[in-house]
Amino acid sequence: MIKLTIGTNTERKTVMVNPKDNAKNVLTQQGINIDRTAMHLNGSLIPAVDLNNTFEGLGIADESEAMIIAVVKADSAQ
């Protein structure tokens, strides 16, 4: 299991996830709306297409900790 900290502009929580879990599904299950967000995994930007990968596929090993941050893009951002 991976100890995953999920952060948004307004909240932060920690959940346990399986390395074979799909990142997008975990975020959805946790009530995180990923529309119009920039996603960062351990400080690195994740392209939207990579959110369909498992945590294992994203390079997060079992029995480790990770942080995924969803930052909502402002309407004025280009």
Side-chain angles (χ1 to χ4, degrees):
M1 297 298 279
I2 297 168
K3 183 177 177 183
L4 181 67
T5 301
I6 302 172
T8 67
N9 294 38
T10 58
E11 69 178 297
R12 184 172 293 182
K13 58 182 151 183
T14 302
V15 296
M16 299 301 289
V17 297
N18 187 303
K20 297 198 183 297
D21 286 344
N22 174 294
K24 186 175 183 178
N25 290 345
V26 168
L27 292 166
T28 301
Q29 290 169 356
Q30 294 300 316
I32 306 298
N33 181 354
I34 61 171
D35 294 336
R36 298 180 41 201
T37 62
M39 302 299 299
H40 297 267
L41 178 62
N42 291 340
S44 296
L45 183 65
I46 308 171
V49 68
D50 286 346
L51 288 174
N52 292 315
N53 288 334
T54 63
F55 287 100
E56 184 176 66
L58 292 169
I60 307 301
D62 195 11
E63 301 297 323
S64 67
E65 294 184 22
M67 178 178 279
I68 193 164
I69 304 294
V71 179
V72 176
K73 297 177 190 175
D75 288 335
S76 61
Q78 300 270 337

